[in-house]
Amino acid sequence: MNPPEPILTVVFFSALAAAAAALGTVPAAFPAAFPDGIRPSWLGCTFALASGLMLGAGYILMAEVIGGALPLPPILGAAFGVAYTFWTHRLSGTEEIETLPEARIGLAQEYRLILLSSLHSASEGVAIGAAMALSLRLGVFMALSLAVHNAAEAMALTWVLEKRKVSSAQAAGLGVFTNVPQMLLAIVSFAVIAAAPALLPWAAGFAAGAMVYLVLTELLPASYRGGDHTRIALLVSFSAGGMVLLEGFWR
């Protein structure tokens, strides 16, 4: 049997990663099993898990493409990734919604959070596409890891949407919708890098810079606000370290 076409592998696993966001609505969809709904401590832990996975993903990408005495392309790419994340956050006007009292969570915050989640998922799609260009097995590993991150991020989105009385089915749909750019950018970046391999260090650096900046400025602060500091530190350390250690099995 012939192996599947590389582009089909990219499409399948990037779509799987996007669809995994629906898992973040499980506590809201089954109130009998989760009578207290989504707890703030759970949000802290999910943000911590997502932080560790994204830090591990950024490290793997940079380790793969950095070489030579002056690796300017990945470093400049990382700078562009940081600038992209900074300006999308600034221009979207998103507040730290998870800290707002319930009375202040309105339609405007909901729309801004959906917009921001969509913009962030684009850089994660570049990470999947760049990893797939390096090695399909590494790309599969990257996509599966970001699938876990998507589910964690969707739980936070669901928590906000619950305050707006949005049903769990609608929240699941919106969670998947915000990750559509991730799938599209994974396909586009893989195709572009396949046609122009010299762009690989730039793309990998861009994705790494965007993800690490997002972790340091948003995910980690949100983690510490929502959970025990020791537990958060352990989750981040083990998820990031585990991702880096397991990467060798996917080479």
Side-chain angles (χ1 to χ4, degrees):
M1 182 181 294
N2 294 327
E5 289 293 326
I7 192 66
L8 294 181
T9 303
V10 179
V11 172
F12 176 79
F13 282 99
S14 59
L16 181 65
L23 296 176
T25 64
V26 168
F30 298 96
F34 302 92
D36 297 328
I38 298 174
R39 301 176 183 175
S41 60
W42 293 2
L43 289 178
C45 290
T46 56
F47 278 129
L49 178 61
S51 296
L53 292 173
M54 293 182 77
L55 287 174
Y59 172 83
I60 290 171
L61 286 175
M62 292 299 282
E64 290 288 339
V65 297
I66 284 183
L70 191 62
L72 277 180
I75 291 176
L76 291 177
F80 288 134
V82 170
Y84 167 83
T85 308
F86 172 80
W87 282 109
T88 53
H89 186 275
R90 189 181 184 96
L91 293 175
S92 69
T94 305
E95 299 178 68
E96 301 296 342
I97 294 176
E98 70 279 354
T99 65
L100 292 178
E102 185 172 337
R104 289 186 57 200
I105 296 177
L107 191 61
Q109 284 79 17
E110 178 184 323
Y111 284 151
R112 286 202 292 265
L113 182 58
I114 292 171
L115 171 63
L116 190 63
S117 297
S118 301
L119 293 171
H120 286 166
S121 73
S123 58
E124 295 153 13
V126 176
I128 294 175
M132 289 282 186
L134 283 164
S135 161
L136 283 179
R137 293 179 68 186
L138 177 61
V140 169
F141 172 73
M142 186 71 68
L144 293 178
S145 299
L146 287 175
V148 178
H149 157 266
N150 290 344
E153 193 173 63
M155 185 180 291
L157 177 62
T158 301
W159 181 83
V160 173
L161 295 177
E162 275 190 314
K163 309 301 181 185
R164 293 280 304 158
K165 308 303 180 184
V166 174
S167 69
S168 57
Q170 290 174 314
L174 286 170
V176 174
F177 173 76
T178 60
N179 284 289
V180 169
Q182 186 180 92
M183 182 179 72
L184 296 178
L185 266 294
I187 297 168
V188 169
S189 59
F190 176 80
V192 169
I193 293 170
L199 293 177
L200 175 59
W202 293 88
F206 172 87
M211 290 190 294
V212 171
Y213 182 82
L214 175 62
V215 167
L216 295 178
T217 59
E218 292 186 38
L219 296 184
L220 272 181
S223 299
Y224 283 117
R225 282 193 296 269
D228 176 76
H229 287 196
T230 301
R231 183 184 305 154
I232 296 303
L234 288 173
L235 268 174
V236 173
S237 301
F238 279 110
S239 56
M243 185 170 181
V244 173
L245 290 174
L246 288 174
E247 180 263 346
F249 291 103
W250 291 80
R251 298 298 292 159

